[in-house]
Amino acid sequence: MSSATPSDRACYVYGIVPADAPGPDEADGFVGVGDPPEPVRRVRHGDVAALVSEIDPRRPLGTPQDLIGHARVLDAVAAGRTAVLPFRFGAVVRDPAAVTDELLAPQGERFRSALEELAGLAQFTVRGTYREEAVLREIVEQRPDIARLRAETAALPEDASRPQRIRLGELVSAELADRARAGADELLARLGPLAVATVRVDPSADQPVGGSFLVADDRWPEFTRATDELGADWAGRIDLRLLGPLAPYDFAAQLVDAPGPRPWD
């Protein structure tokens, strides 16, 4: 680290890994958050280590580059088949000594236990978005009541058809919600057996279908193939996107915060 005064520098903490595990660190030239971002290094204590890099505590965190840098470090560790316990974005402590004294020493056993549970596992997240025109066309074809109301609404002046338009919107929204639930059920039914744990993602307008899966290292190829097959079955209606391997953000028993006073408080 640099020779700057303590008030000029602080430690940004990404997460916890086994002390002897390989992964991105300053020997690899791997960088994380900050402007400019500093190399990532380890602070070891017993069986665990914290992944950290220097930051200027006077510079606010939260830029898109910071968020990307935080995830990049953690996901690179997971992709290297190393267990990692992610910290929340923005975890900062005073210096390397504080990393040991405030994090690793008092919580080392809990961290070690969590890492043992996550060993050999990584998160894969699947996101599905509708092809809106195709899905709406399918709804009209399969729901005669919606098709009739749509035709009636189109034949009336806009002011006169307001109640019908409201009802049409309600029916379409309800149908989309039913399809999202059915899609999520199928997603979990087909991919869930390939994972040791799953988290169902609540549907939204941007992501009507989705889920997160904790997958063992030796099943990554099988899980990827199964996702591709599901995407092929849904082609033209739902576009699937597979993200992973990722750090187990949705499966860590508790995302960790850095405790203690910050150097600028």
Side-chain angles (χ1 to χ4, degrees), residues 183-204:
D185 289 343
E186 184 175 359
L187 181 78
L188 294 179
R190 292 180 61 168
L191 301 183
L194 303 177
V196 300
T198 62
V199 171
R200 183 169 182 150
V201 175
D202 291 333
S204 66

Side-chain angles (χ1 to χ4, degrees), residues 12-13 61 70 87-93 258 262 264:
Y12 185 93
V13 188
L61 291 168
H70 177 85
F87 272 55
R88 299 182 194 277
F89 174 78
V92 179
V93 294
R262 296 179 177 177
W264 56 91

Side-chain angles (χ1 to χ4, degrees), residues 85-240:
L85 182 63
F87 272 55
R88 299 182 194 277
F89 174 78
V92 179
V93 294
R94 184 180 63 254
D95 54 28
V99 173
T100 299
D101 295 341
E102 299 176 12
L103 291 175
L104 301 181
Q107 302 188 68
E109 182 58 30
R110 183 170 71 88
F111 291 160
R112 185 188 63 78
S113 177
L115 290 170
E116 287 180 352
E117 293 181 6
L118 295 170
L121 304 170
Q123 177 173 321
F124 286 78
T125 295
V126 181
R127 296 174 178 171
T129 56
Y130 285 138
R131 292 205 174 184
E132 187 172 337
E133 290 185 6
V135 172
L136 291 177
R137 183 169 58 249
E138 188 178 83
I139 289 174
V140 171
E141 292 171 354
Q142 296 177 359
R143 288 283 302 269
D145 56 333
I146 290 178
R148 285 194 299 271
L149 185 57
R150 181 170 179 264
E152 292 171 6
T153 301
L156 294 171
E158 184 172 348
D159 290 344
S161 64
R162 186 171 183 276
Q164 290 89 338
R165 291 179 189 276
I166 292 174
R167 179 57 179 159
L168 180 61
E170 292 172 344
L171 290 175
V172 171
S173 294
E175 179 66 20
L176 287 171
D178 288 343
R179 287 169 180 255
R181 283 190 290 271
D185 289 343
E186 184 175 359
L187 181 78
L188 294 179
R190 292 180 61 168
L191 301 183
L194 303 177
V196 300
T198 62
V199 171
R200 183 169 182 150
V201 175
D202 291 333
S204 66
D206 294 333
Q207 185 181 327
V209 177
S212 293
F213 303 83
L214 194 61
V215 183
D217 294 354
D218 60 357
R219 304 201 79 171
W220 291 2
E222 185 181 5
F223 186 87
T224 300
R225 285 194 301 271
T227 304
D228 290 342
E229 291 169 1
L230 180 58
D233 290 345
W234 284 353
R237 297 172 48 248
I238 299 175
D239 293 328
L240 282 188

